[in-house]
Amino acid sequence: MTATSGARATAVPRDLPTGLRHYIGGAYRDSVDGATFEVSDPVGNAAYATAAAGGPEDIDLAVTAARTAFCDGPWASMPARERARVLVRIADGIEADDERLAELESFDTGLPITQARGQARRAAENFRYFADVIVSLHEEAYRVPGVQTNYVVRKPVGVAGLITPWNTPFMLESWKLAPALASGCSVVLKPAEFTPLSASLWPEIFAAAGLPAGVFNMVNGIGERAGQALVDHPGVPLISFTGETTTGQTIMRSAAGALKGLSMELGGKSPVLIFADADVEKALDSAIFGVFSLNGERCTAGSRVLVQRPIYDEFVRRFAERAERIVVGPPGDPGTEVGALVHPEHYARVMDYVAIGKAEGARLVAGGVRPAHLNTGNYLQPTVFADVTAEMRIFQEEIFGPVVALTPFDTDDEAIELANAVRYGLAGYVWTNDLRRGHRVAESIEAGMVWVNSHNIRDLRTPFGGVKASGLGREGGARSIDFFTEPQIIHLTLGDPAPPRFGVTRTS
Ligand code: NAD
């Protein structure tokens, strides 16, 4: 079987699963009502598999299995070292499946194969990292000599609901699965409906690593039905969500009634500020990679590039020239730099933004069209708009594709004002060789994460997350463990207890 992609065909991974099922209590299952949905690839845009479409009954079965494993199984109370051993075996399993995983991910999402390979490695690293975290966590104690010893017990919260998006799906699933499992929680994962393929590898990886049955459960399905049922289930005390801001708002409203714990990793429209004193060559390479890698479907993409006026015209010219030369092609081709966008609906949305940009008067200097050699599939030549102003929708709204807005600025204050002139606040990037300016500007950007003289390169220990409409809470390092555990303080009296004595003074 092959899927066509304009000028050339792209290979379909061997043994491609064509029926994706739920995984509940250690067994594969269809939906209780038998419902399914079709899954298509972004090159052929043809259904290659059907997936079980979960609903409230399937979620209930999964939560019940997870609850049973949590309350009755060994996982939640297992010594950290033992749990860490399982996590390390999971990491080994992911690495052993590296090539297969990359093939499936690239086929299902449209990510270039070379970039999909990086995702598998990163997913394995998440498990290895959280194995290290749980064995090295310090414990808190507060002593009042002779009077009290107070110590904090960290308890896994219970059944964690994990809801994930379609961009780099396996890696983003690992991002939640690793700390949730490391903490001793049981989980119900609801993968994104556009890209459920790579998630089908989890059950075997987990089982082979010795994760007890019922600790990991997965329900496929449509967000508004399966995802919503997970959010609404009374047996799920916390939800870790990554996805669009509007979906996050819906989930927060739904979770309010039961006061559920929420971690929200939402959308972004991150600025790249390039000052005239910067290493412009490096800034150019980094800005291009930052917005066009992963097909531009990256939450931390630097999708607004603000450039200081003295270097602006030349920068725009060179940025456009490079964007036109980016190799757009079949995701499975190792020479491809930008692949196919995930789904025709998303492709149509990105193309709408290209039309909006033109209509609102931005100067289109590169791309904006399907490459001539690719007459089918969700392909777009990397698109560069120059002279974009802060009022324009292409400056304000997340496009989540290979489309960038370039805007000139004069002063530091103007750059900061432009950087902060959107509702999002996920990431920011500053390019300058002036150390003081680098610090000052970085700290003035309203964003959860700022890089100076770099694109997004992240140490797993650092806090990840956004401010404003980009999210609530932080993941990363011990912060993820904090989210999936509840601290309990035990106050232990050391001396003789001497409680005030009520009811002893009145005699009649
Ligand atoms: P989405 O919000 O459409 O879907 C995300 C997940 O939520 C999917 O699994 C979907 O099925 C589910 N869902 C949808 N409606 C739901 C509901 N009512 N209740 C429960 N679950 C529901 O997002 P997407 O289009 O899959 O992903 C792209 C978005 O994700 C972009 O906005 C991007 O910026 C964001 N993102 C953010 C980060 C981050 O760390 N901040 C990382 C990656 C992606």
Side-chain angles (χ1 to χ4, degrees), residues 393-462:
R393 286 183 62 191
I394 58 164
F395 187 95
Q396 292 291 334
E397 298 174 21
E398 183 181 43
I399 300 174
F400 218 56
V403 180
V404 67
L406 304 188
T407 302
F409 69 85
D410 289 301
T411 63
D412 291 20
D413 285 349
E414 191 190 352
I416 294 164
E417 196 179 317
L418 281 167
N420 294 339
V422 299
R423 70 179 187 132
Y424 295 107
L426 189 56
Y429 308 87
V430 181
W431 284 86
T432 176
N433 275 328
D434 178 337
L435 197 62
R436 283 180 302 167
R437 172 185 271 157
H439 281 287
R440 195 177 59 245
V441 172
E443 289 181 21
S444 305
I445 296 178
E446 295 165 359
M449 301 168 284
V450 180
W451 280 265
V452 179
N453 294 333
S454 170
H455 51 272
N456 167 356
I457 296 174
R458 186 172 160 258
D459 177 330
L460 288 180
R461 294 171 299 177
T462 59

Side-chain angles (χ1 to χ4, degrees), residues 1 10-18 20 39-43 48-49 97-113 115-117 119-120 166 168-170 173 194-205 331-332 342:
M1 186 168 76
T10 192
V12 172
R14 74 208 132 80
D15 304 327
L16 183 68
T18 52
L20 305 173
V39 187
S40 59
D41 74 281
V43 172
Y48 69 84
D97 257 357
D98 187 359
E99 192 54 38
R100 167 106 180 120
L101 209 155
E103 272 178 18
L104 295 184
E105 198 74 308
S106 173
F107 177 77
D108 199 25
T109 67
L111 272 188
I113 184 71
Q115 296 167 41
R117 283 195 188 108
Q119 301 307 310
W166 50 256
T168 61
F170 192 86
E173 288 153 14
F194 280 178
T195 56
L197 182 59
S198 55
S200 68
L201 295 177
W202 286 120
E204 280 175 34
I205 292 173
V342 70

Side-chain angles (χ1 to χ4, degrees), residues 31-50:
S31 290
V32 172
D33 63 5
T36 59
F37 64 98
E38 290 193 334
V39 187
S40 59
D41 74 281
V43 172
N45 281 327
Y48 69 84
T50 54

Side-chain angles (χ1 to χ4, degrees), residues 285-442:
D285 287 347
S286 176
I288 289 173
F289 180 81
V291 69
F292 296 136
S293 57
L294 307 182
N295 297 345
E297 297 163 329
R298 179 200 272 273
C299 56
T300 52
S303 50
R304 295 181 294 139
V305 180
L306 315 176
V307 187
Q308 204 160 21
R309 189 99 45 195
I311 58 169
Y312 178 75
D313 289 338
E314 178 64 1
F315 192 90
V316 169
R317 188 188 67 71
R318 295 190 60 205
F319 200 110
E321 194 178 88
R322 291 271 294 274
E324 285 290 2
R325 284 203 216 131
I326 287 176
V327 181
V328 183
D333 185 334
T336 292
E337 292 173 313
V338 169
L341 303 194
V342 70
H343 191 276
E345 273 172 33
H346 180 61
Y347 182 64
R349 189 170 162 257
V350 173
M351 295 308 274
D352 278 351
Y353 273 108
V354 174
I356 289 167
K358 288 187 206 164
E360 54 193 358
R363 183 160 59 97
L364 180 68
V365 292
V369 290
R370 164 190 294 286
H373 65 292
L374 297 163
N375 51 11
T376 60
N378 309 325
Y379 294 108
L380 171 63
Q381 188 65 37
T383 299
V384 184
F385 282 106
D387 309 343
V388 178
T389 58
E391 303 71 45
M392 292 182 185
R393 286 183 62 191
I394 58 164
F395 187 95
Q396 292 291 334
E397 298 174 21
E398 183 181 43
I399 300 174
F400 218 56
V403 180
V404 67
L406 304 188
T407 302
F409 69 85
D410 289 301
T411 63
D412 291 20
D413 285 349
E414 191 190 352
I416 294 164
E417 196 179 317
L418 281 167
N420 294 339
V422 299
R423 70 179 187 132
Y424 295 107
L426 189 56
Y429 308 87
V430 181
W431 284 86
T432 176
N433 275 328
D434 178 337
L435 197 62
R436 283 180 302 167
R437 172 185 271 157
H439 281 287
R440 195 177 59 245
V441 172

Side-chain angles (χ1 to χ4, degrees), residues 163-167 172 190-193 221-224 227-228 231 241-244 247 250-251 265-268 299 398 400 426 464 470:
I163 303 178
T164 48
W166 50 256
N167 66 318
L172 285 179
K190 208 302 279 171
E193 56 267 45
I222 308 303
E224 290 75 5
Q228 188 69 49
V231 173
F241 171 77
T242 300
E244 276 190 27
T247 315
T250 304
I251 291 176
E265 298 290 350
L266 309 175
C299 56
E398 183 181 43
F400 218 56
L426 189 56
F464 185 98
S470 289

